[in-house]
Amino acid sequence: MSTETESSSQFDSLKERWRPRIERFRRGWDRFTQEKMGVLGIIIMVVFVLWALFPDFFAPHSVEWRAYLGTEPGRLTAEQADSLPHPPAFGDPFWAPLGTNYVGQGILSLIVHAADDALYIGFAAGLLSSLVGVPLGLVSGFYGNTWIDETIQRIVDVMYGLPFLPFLIVLVAIRGITTTNIILGIAVTSWLNNCIVIRGETLSLKERSYVESAKVAGASDTRIVFRHIMPNVLPLAFVFLAQDAATAILAQASLAYLGLADFTANSWGLMLQNIKSNGYVFDAWWWLIPPGICIMLIAAAFYFIGFSMEDVTNPQEDS
Amino acid sequence: MTRISARYLGKRLVVSYLTLLVIMSLLFVLIRSMPGSFIGSMITPELDQADIQQLRETWGLNEPIWRQYIDFMLNYQTGDFGRSPTYKAPVWDVIISRLPRTLILFGAAFIVQFIVGPLVGMYLGWWRGTRKDKSIFTSSLAVYSMPAFWLAWLFIWLFNYELGWLPSTYMFTKFAQFDWTVVTIVTDVLRHIALPLISIAFVSWVGAMLVMRPAMNNVTSEDYVFLAQAKGLSERTVMIKHAARNALIPVATQAIVGLAFLLDGSVIIENVFSWPGLGQVIVTSVLSRDYPVSQAAFFMLAVLIIVMRLVTDIAYTYLDPRIKFGGD
């Protein structure tokens, strides 16, 4: 008995503690949903997340499926081989709404099955570059104009001098072409803007009176940075996380175009690379256009959500 | 130059130089960490072990690594970039024959980007929050999200393959039979530059817009804008002459990021259009482990970026008289 009341009172206090946060979140959410752009981003994101979680439900076939293979095992007839890549058509002998590629895989199935790869690359690279950029920006801003700040800023200078994509090619060449290494490479090269903006924000935040009072109250530097300043830069960090995610997805597509993608994975960038290397760029529009649109939509969704967040955290009065 | 002290400029120059040295060291380590070496592409079945040793000797790969590093750092100070094993020519010639082509294409793209971007950003920032702003802003973000090479393919498909209006490869017509007068050369280059230029500019202007829009919105609440409005100046005069001028300052910083964005684009777009520029050289030399050329190409790009950073910092003082460097 006693344990039960204890746990319920614990629960109550937990609820008490979380109520203001939930309230704040709800207010933020209300403001967010006023922006059509952010809602659009969320809708696109939800669709892609569903694709990633339940590909078999949305895709007509698995990745292994080949047109004709079901009816005639073994070699294709010359006529069948000629019809590949197969354009989308009514009365297919098989069910491939967006046509097939040159080996007979359904385009729609490939598109749906590649969603998890894009989301993984986006979120992983975005999170990683935030994990590097935000703390460095915070430290650099908090110790502004000391040797710590100088050192970090010189590192940023050096990294700025290296062009992003060529540098990424070298990194991937050193470490081997796998999705993990591509993500690491993107994270290593894309934390710069993050760091610079967070630094600027921290520089202005640390002059605020509440930081002063925390200092007078004897709070340690670590505590001031992480308890008092960081919560205020987090919304901004989130905006950059979304932008980095979008950049990462586009960078992966560019790498794939140059032939530097993981060929065992299934990604939209790799689909585009396949079109080019097999010479179907101008002959198979049903194969060329969907992957590009998907890359565009997922990157745009990240941008939409990021920039709407900026409006939520930094509301502008409507004129 | 009046607002910049010589001491500040000197300090910046020294720091820039040191940054460049660090970048060079990083390059040396990174490029040599890639597995394989260019010797691999030269080895043919007829060569025996002694010949391979001879090859390594010729290209200086038998030297201890610290020796190679010191040679590399010292040679670059004197502008000696060495010889390229794959191009069979001095690296300097390889780089310098390509650099102008990259500069022409990306200089043009840079100019287009920084005319269109700030103009649209100015317009959107001034009308921030209206439906006009929201719809244009959303669609430009969608444009920003397109993979550049995919867009380039669509343009080639439409303008070259379907309509046959514009060429899609190289900088000149190959084996051209026309008279080589200035006019024909210029029109020929213009026809060849059109598609790559459109492909880059179509995407990259958004970067400049993204910075201009909030900057413009911030200055609209400044007193001097209200004052100008109260004086009865026209909306357009206030927007362009009073507000936009000051909103341009953060855009100048963005120019560096925009330049880096263009250089990334150069790698991809030059590949798509077989544009014989530096971006193409970088990719092929990195992939064929041509150390001398890839180091030099990275080096040139790094110099370009560092110099541009210096220039924008100086441009600041002219845009905003309040900023003063090294005055105290």
Side-chain angles (χ1 to χ4, degrees):
Chain A
M1 277 304 272
S2 66
T3 49
E4 202 181 337
T5 50
E6 210 168 65
S7 76
S8 85
S9 76
Q10 237 175 19
F11 181 70
D12 278 348
S13 75
L14 204 71
K15 222 163 96 183
E16 277 301 307
R17 215 146 19 106
W18 277 88
R19 181 162 295 148
R21 294 179 195 188
I22 293 171
E23 276 297 306
R24 209 159 53 201
F25 176 78
R26 190 167 292 157
R27 273 205 304 277
W29 177 251
D30 283 347
R31 255 199 315 240
F32 186 83
T33 47
Q34 280 170 10
E35 288 282 331
K36 281 201 199 94
M37 190 175 78
V39 177
L40 186 65
I42 295 258
I43 291 172
I44 299 173
M45 192 63 76
V46 166
V47 171
F48 281 125
V49 167
L50 286 177
W51 282 13
L53 292 178
F54 313 105
D56 297 328
F57 182 78
F58 291 95
H61 306 289
S62 69
V63 181
E64 288 79 33
W65 178 85
R66 300 280 188 280
Y68 300 120
L69 216 62
T71 52
E72 195 161 333
R75 290 174 65 87
L76 301 181
T77 64
E79 198 184 329
Q80 285 174 341
D82 271 352
S83 81
L84 293 176
H86 198 286
F90 288 110
D92 273 344
F94 36 83
W95 171 233
L98 283 179
T100 71
N101 65 6
Y102 75 116
V103 287
Q105 292 167 301
I107 300 294
L108 184 63
S109 312
L110 286 181
I111 293 278
V112 172
H113 280 280
D116 58 348
D117 204 76
L119 287 175
Y120 171 56
I121 289 173
F123 279 116
L127 271 175
L128 273 179
S129 69
S130 297
L131 282 179
V132 181
V134 172
L136 280 180
L138 278 172
V139 170
S140 180
F142 187 73
Y143 297 106
N145 292 325
T146 62
W147 64 270
I148 302 175
D149 179 38
E150 274 295 307
T151 314
I152 294 175
Q153 290 314 304
R154 290 293 83 78
I155 296 174
V156 169
D157 276 351
V158 166
M159 295 292 289
Y160 252 121
L162 295 165
F164 174 64
L165 202 58
F167 184 48
L168 198 53
I169 295 171
V170 173
L171 287 183
V172 173
I174 294 173
R175 304 275 307 139
I177 304 164
T178 65
T179 306
T180 314
N181 287 340
I182 290 172
I183 290 170
L184 284 175
I186 293 170
V188 165
T189 43
S190 70
W191 55 272
L192 303 172
N193 291 331
N194 217 317
C195 176
I196 289 176
V197 173
I198 298 289
R199 172 179 178 266
E201 197 68 13
T202 311
L203 273 176
S204 80
L205 278 175
K206 75 168 183 173
E207 303 299 332
R208 300 278 170 86
S209 47
Y210 68 87
V211 175
E212 285 295 316
S213 53
K215 224 179 251 172
V216 172
S220 68
D221 282 0
T222 336
R223 191 178 162 81
I224 291 175
V225 169
F226 287 103
R227 294 288 299 191
H228 298 280
I229 295 181
M230 195 172 78
N232 290 301
V233 300
L234 274 188
L236 198 65
F238 186 83
V239 175
F240 274 89
L241 194 156
Q243 288 190 36
D244 284 343
T247 321
I249 288 165
L250 290 170
Q252 194 270 344
S254 303
L255 283 179
Y257 168 78
L258 294 171
L260 295 165
D262 189 350
F263 286 91
T264 55
N266 177 28
S267 71
W268 296 322
L270 189 62
M271 283 179 78
L272 289 175
Q273 143 74 17
N274 276 333
I275 302 167
K276 181 200 136 200
S277 57
N278 293 295
Y280 285 110
V281 171
F282 304 130
D283 301 325
W285 56 267
W286 62 91
W287 184 11
L288 171 67
I289 291 175
I293 288 184
C294 282
I295 295 173
M296 180 182 112
L297 283 179
I298 188 79
F302 275 113
Y303 282 133
F304 289 169
I305 294 172
F307 281 103
S308 301
M309 277 295 288
E310 199 176 17
D311 278 345
V312 172
T313 54
N314 180 21
Q316 308 285 343
E317 66 271 55
D318 288 305
S319 51
Chain B
M1 282 292 161
T2 46
R3 280 194 286 271
I4 298 166
S5 69
R7 189 157 156 253
Y8 170 78
L9 202 66
K11 198 182 142 206
R12 278 301 306 265
L13 282 174
V14 170
V15 169
S16 298
Y17 177 68
L18 290 178
T19 311
L20 197 62
L21 289 188
V22 176
I23 290 178
M24 281 165 67
S25 312
L26 248 178
L27 277 181
F28 182 84
V29 174
L30 282 173
I31 287 180
R32 252 148 254 258
S33 322
M34 290 193 294
S37 94
F38 56 82
I39 295 291
S41 62
M42 296 175 168
I43 295 172
T44 50
E46 298 95 70
L47 296 181
D48 57 26
Q49 208 54 42
D51 292 332
I52 292 171
Q53 273 310 315
Q54 181 63 41
L55 260 180
R56 290 181 64 86
E57 192 72 47
T58 319
W59 291 102
L61 291 179
N62 279 344
E63 308 251 357
I65 197 81
W66 59 268
R67 204 48 223 264
Q68 291 183 36
Y69 173 69
I70 289 174
D71 282 348
F72 164 70
M73 294 299 269
L74 288 179
N75 287 341
Y76 266 53
Q77 309 299 322
T78 55
D80 174 12
F81 292 176
R83 271 183 79 84
S84 158
T86 49
Y87 290 89
K88 312 266 188 284
V91 173
W92 178 252
D93 292 356
V94 176
I95 299 285
I96 213 68
S97 67
R98 313 258 169 166
L99 194 61
R101 299 175 186 151
T102 291
L103 288 181
I104 287 174
L105 177 54
F106 292 92
F110 197 63
I111 291 167
V112 172
Q113 178 185 355
F114 279 91
I115 290 173
V116 178
L119 274 179
V120 178
M122 174 182 86
Y123 186 76
L124 296 186
W126 189 254
W127 299 109
R128 178 129 185 202
T130 60
R131 273 179 70 175
K132 236 183 319 188
D133 164 44
K134 281 178 183 166
S135 53
I136 298 178
F137 185 62
T138 308
S139 31
S140 55
L141 280 181
V143 166
Y144 199 46
S145 311
M146 292 184 194
F149 62 93
W150 179 72
L151 193 69
W153 282 346
L154 293 187
F155 282 135
I156 296 177
W157 184 20
L158 183 64
F159 293 113
N160 180 264
Y161 191 77
E162 293 291 334
L163 298 170
W165 288 352
L166 293 164
S168 66
T169 46
Y170 308 116
M171 195 171 162
F172 299 103
T173 311
K174 281 220 160 170
F175 314 117
Q177 293 297 316
F178 52 71
D179 303 322
W180 288 89
T181 63
V182 175
V183 178
T184 51
I185 293 173
V186 168
T187 47
D188 194 50
V189 171
L190 280 180
R191 274 167 52 78
H192 281 81
I193 209 173
L195 278 184
L197 183 59
I198 295 171
S199 307
I200 308 163
F202 196 82
V203 177
S204 61
W205 64 270
V206 183
M209 183 277 277
L210 287 180
V211 183
M212 185 70 181
R213 181 171 170 264
M216 189 70 183
N217 192 54
N218 284 340
V219 295
T220 50
S221 53
E222 298 266 349
D223 290 340
Y224 62 82
V225 172
F226 287 124
L227 177 70
Q229 275 168 335
K231 277 199 291 191
L233 297 175
S234 76
E235 186 93 11
R236 179 183 256 172
T237 317
V238 179
M239 177 167 84
I240 295 173
K241 290 224 167 124
H242 296 256
R245 198 184 131 91
N246 289 294
L248 273 174
I249 294 159
V251 179
T253 337
Q254 164 67 19
I256 293 304
V257 184
L259 184 78
F261 189 88
L262 282 180
L263 290 173
D264 292 343
S266 81
V267 172
I268 297 292
I269 294 291
E270 286 186 4
N271 253 287
V272 177
F273 290 95
S274 311
W275 188 266
L278 206 55
Q280 235 189 11
V281 171
I282 273 206
V283 177
T284 47
S285 64
V286 165
L287 294 184
S288 66
R289 308 286 184 264
D290 187 337
Y291 301 152
V293 172
S294 34
Q295 277 162 352
F298 269 100
F299 175 78
M300 295 305 274
L301 292 183
V303 170
L304 198 63
I305 291 174
I306 288 175
V307 169
M308 280 297 293
R309 282 199 86 164
L310 215 60
V311 170
T312 45
D313 270 359
I314 293 168
Y316 269 4
T317 54
Y318 288 92
L319 285 168
D320 188 352
R322 285 172 297 186
I323 296 175
K324 221 176 185 176
F325 284 120
D328 40 33

